[in-house]
Amino acid sequence: MCHHTPLETIHTIEWMKQVSRQARAEGRSTGFVPTMGALHAGHMSLVHAALAECQPVIASIFVNPAQFAPTEDFQKYPRTLEADGAKLEDAGVDYLFAPEASEIYPPGFRTWVNVEGLSDRLDGKVRQGHFRGVATIVLKLLEIVQPQKAFFGRKDAQQARIIRQMARDLHLDSEIVVCPIVREPDGLAMSSRNAYLNPAERRAATILFRALDGARASILRGERDALRLTAAMRETLRTEPLAEPDYVELVDAETLEPVTRLRGVCIAMLSVRIGATRLIDNLLIEEREGALLPTL
Ligand code: AMP
């Protein structure tokens, strides 16, 4: 393995700001990949996209307490900082920003970013306050790192939509780049939370992909009726006894409001509990010259 540049890990906001200020002063175009760690090939695809377009590339690892509800998995969320650092270094990432929660949310912290409307539906309904936590940490990180481009995964389609809206509404200088979903060979979307699944749950978890893939096939055969498509997806999910859906919706990609018929750009959104683990996945459906193009 060739380690062209060693990875430099940065723990303080002041030091991170100084490094990014320096890169800007030198006229370099910084790429930024924010994550919560436990890095897998999905995260690394964002890193590779950043490396292809930017220099230097900065990744962050911060398990953001503000986006977890008190009942959620903040405590047991996988933390593998050492292995993550090795992956980032091998890929050629220049800096890893790993701040302390005590510096990000000091005593007396009271400013929150709320992207109205888009944050209340789907995952925002299942996870109250989740997207307020997400928007706030992403704005903070973008302010600290000041990247030309920031890279996000379409795996979290609602999150990507909300961050795009925030960047537009707050006149942020960073371009928001959304990258494709990376899947396991059997179709399961990669996620740090897949580590929670026992072998039976891991097998059951492919039901999300199978439901979306069925919708993709129907759409390619000409189906445009949202009710029929969501009913068929629910039917597929019902064949898996370990699967408990939270929502199955076909929404407009811009408003995230449900549609009755496919047109323009739509997204089929799934949230399904497999045992105690909540998984999400989605199918992007774009209309191009009258034809529907579904992408898993
Ligand atoms: P997380 O560490 O879960 O907060 O994810 C960090 C970033 O990686 C987010 O922009 C995610 O959308 C993205 N990501 C997570 N899983 C995948 C995947 N399977 N494919 C593509 N991007 C992903």
Side-chain angles (χ1 to χ4, degrees):
M1 228 147 280
C2 74
H3 298 205
H4 13 78
T5 49
L7 177 77
E8 185 177 337
T9 301
I10 297 179
H11 291 288
T12 68
I13 294 169
E14 205 38 61
W15 187 8
M16 187 70 257
K17 280 190 171 179
Q18 204 162 310
V19 165
S20 30
R21 232 181 268 130
Q22 180 73 26
R24 251 169 110 81
E26 290 167 4
R28 299 199 289 161
S29 161
T30 300
F32 178 48
V33 181
T35 81
M36 298 204 299
L39 300 182
H40 50 65
H43 297 115
M44 297 313 289
S45 74
L46 307 183
V47 165
H48 291 299
L51 286 164
E53 297 179 28
C54 304
Q55 159 65 218
V57 170
I58 303 173
S60 69
I61 295 180
F62 181 63
V63 184
N64 175 32
Q67 71 188 66
F68 290 79
T71 53
E72 289 179 349
D73 55 342
F74 175 71
Q75 293 301 336
K76 70 162 188 175
Y77 195 86
R79 288 162 172 88
T80 58
L81 193 63
E82 216 167 303
D84 292 348
K87 284 180 193 172
L88 295 172
E89 177 159 280
D90 285 346
V93 168
D94 301 280
Y95 301 98
L96 166 58
F97 180 44
E100 299 292 338
S102 57
E103 198 186 6
I104 295 285
Y105 300 110
F109 179 84
R110 49 172 74 252
T111 303
W112 298 98
V113 182
N114 187 29
V115 180
E116 292 180 4
L118 297 177
S119 300
D120 308 330
R121 320 201 52 257
L122 302 161
D123 254 33
K125 199 163 183 180
V126 180
R127 309 181 68 185
Q128 293 283 327
H130 171 65
F131 287 119
R132 181 181 90 146
V134 169
T136 302
I137 191 63
V138 171
L139 179 61
K140 279 169 159 281
L141 292 170
L142 292 176
E143 281 297 305
I144 295 163
V145 174
Q146 299 275 321
Q148 258 64 40
K149 298 186 183 188
F151 296 79
F152 296 86
R154 205 197 82 216
K155 156 82 176 10
D156 300 280
Q158 186 174 13
Q159 168 176 288
R161 177 68 191 86
I162 286 168
I163 290 165
R164 272 229 164 108
Q165 187 70 42
M166 173 180 77
R168 189 190 303 167
D169 289 349
L170 299 182
H171 318 291
L172 302 187
D173 283 326
S174 305
E175 180 188 335
I176 306 301
V177 181
V178 181
C179 299
I181 302 177
V182 178
R183 300 178 177 282
E184 299 286 355
D186 64 4
L188 176 65
M190 289 194 182
S191 163
S192 307
R193 289 192 168 94
N194 292 349
Y196 298 153
L197 303 168
N198 68 31
E201 290 170 341
R202 173 62 187 79
R203 284 191 294 277
T206 60
I207 199 69
L208 284 85
F209 172 78
R210 286 184 278 143
L212 293 171
D213 195 41
R216 190 186 67 92
S218 305
I219 291 163
L220 288 175
R221 287 193 301 267
E223 181 64 82
R224 284 180 180 251
D225 184 86
L227 255 174
R228 278 204 293 269
L229 285 163
T230 50
M233 285 189 279
R234 283 202 181 88
E235 193 58 45
T236 303
L237 293 172
R238 261 198 294 277
T239 64
E240 175 47 68
L242 293 178
E244 257 336 305
D246 285 322
Y247 58 78
V248 178
E249 283 195 43
L250 255 162
V251 302
D252 180 272
E254 202 49 31
T255 63
L256 303 181
E257 293 293 335
V259 297
T260 53
R261 243 186 114 62
L262 293 180
R263 58 179 302 238
V265 186
C266 295
I267 315 177
M269 305 271 253
L270 293 188
S271 164
V272 179
R273 276 170 289 127
I274 305 286
T277 305
R278 215 173 64 81
L279 301 177
I280 58 172
D281 200 347
N282 68 84
L283 171 70
L284 177 67
I285 308 147
E286 296 166 291
E287 187 165 12
R288 292 226 191 110
E289 288 155 9
L292 291 180
L293 236 136
T295 308
L296 275 162

